[in-house]
Amino acid sequence: MTKARLALLASHEGSLMQAVIDACESGRLDAEVAIVISNNSHSGALARARAHGIAGKHMSRQTHGDSALLDRAMADILKNVKVSLVVLTGYMRLIGPEMLAAFRGRIINCHPALLPKYGGQGFYGRRVHEAVLHSRDTVTGSTIHYVDEVYDRGPVIKQNSIQVLAGDTAESLEARVKAGEHQLLIEALDALLKDIYL
């Protein structure tokens, strides 16, 4: 049987993306990364793709002019490379209607908070952890969820929790959440691929 084929979308350094690549290469995931797409031509994610011999593509409004053309082009490329699952690993753009229609129920995102808390437009990266500390929450974590038309709204697939420590800074909290996030994503992908592999 051929392996499941993943598309990884990332905007910046791609550390979460790297965890997925490593899991595929080690055999932890029965999948292969078919393509990496970034909306940032200088992203670390594209450099990581090159380092692993994975097809990488910069796709943004710079390359396609407007959101509708970009959406259609992304959907066409991912259909052409026969992607089984689309994984957002720090991708900062809203997924468009053509992508959602082509891959309904097969696009997932990893968010560094316990959704529905600290989700939605503007809640990303360190901003999430600053908000957690500002609210004096004692527990945070990360969430894997399906993607729909609204940032961070789709149904939750899996969550993990970590304690917020008395001396935490946004940086220390981010580091601990990120470590758990990597493991959570691999566990969720393993379960999903066994369930939905086409």
Side-chain angles (χ1 to χ4, degrees):
M1 180 184 288
T2 58
K3 290 185 176 183
R5 291 169 63 77
L6 307 180
L8 306 182
L9 278 56
S11 293
H12 297 298
E13 287 310 303
S15 63
L16 187 57
M17 184 192 88
Q18 184 69 54
V20 178
I21 292 171
D22 290 347
C24 289
E25 290 183 347
S26 71
R28 170 72 178 85
L29 286 177
D30 189 21
E32 61 183 335
V33 180
I35 190 168
V36 168
I37 293 176
S38 180
N39 60 311
N40 175 359
S41 62
H42 302 295
S43 69
L46 290 176
R48 290 175 191 267
R50 284 192 297 273
H52 288 268
I54 297 166
K57 195 158 184 65
H58 167 223
M59 299 185 75
S60 70
R61 279 176 287 190
Q62 286 180 314
T63 61
H64 287 79
D66 68 39
S67 297
L69 288 173
L70 173 62
D71 180 29
R72 187 172 305 115
M74 286 178 65
D76 287 345
I77 283 173
L78 297 188
K79 285 187 282 189
N80 286 341
V81 298
K82 297 180 170 39
V83 165
S84 312
L85 194 65
V86 181
V87 187
L88 278 52
T89 56
Y91 187 67
M92 301 297 163
R93 309 305 302 177
L94 195 63
I95 298 298
E98 298 248 4
M99 279 280 291
L100 288 172
F103 295 96
R104 180 67 68 179
R106 293 190 290 150
I107 307 175
I108 67 169
N109 181 48
C110 194
H111 185 74
L114 294 174
L115 293 175
K117 288 181 120 181
Y118 312 113
Q121 193 162 11
F123 278 109
Y124 59 87
R126 196 157 290 167
R127 291 183 183 190
V128 173
H129 310 298
E130 289 168 348
V132 169
L133 292 174
H134 181 75
S135 298
R136 295 190 168 90
D137 286 6
T138 57
V139 177
T140 187
S142 44
T143 302
I144 312 296
H145 67 95
Y146 289 107
V147 171
D148 66 11
E149 297 83 359
V150 177
Y151 284 113
D152 303 325
R153 186 188 68 178
V156 169
I157 298 166
K158 193 173 179 68
Q159 292 182 311
N160 66 0
S161 299
I162 68 161
Q163 294 297 311
V164 180
L165 304 178
D168 266 329
T169 62
E171 292 82 0
S172 67
L173 189 57
E174 179 180 44
R176 294 205 330 282
V177 169
K178 190 172 283 188
E181 192 178 23
H182 289 190
Q183 180 62 29
L184 182 70
L185 178 57
I186 302 310
E187 290 172 0
L189 279 171
D190 186 43
L192 281 170
L193 289 169
K194 288 172 180 170
D195 186 48
I196 71 168
Y197 181 64
L198 302 176

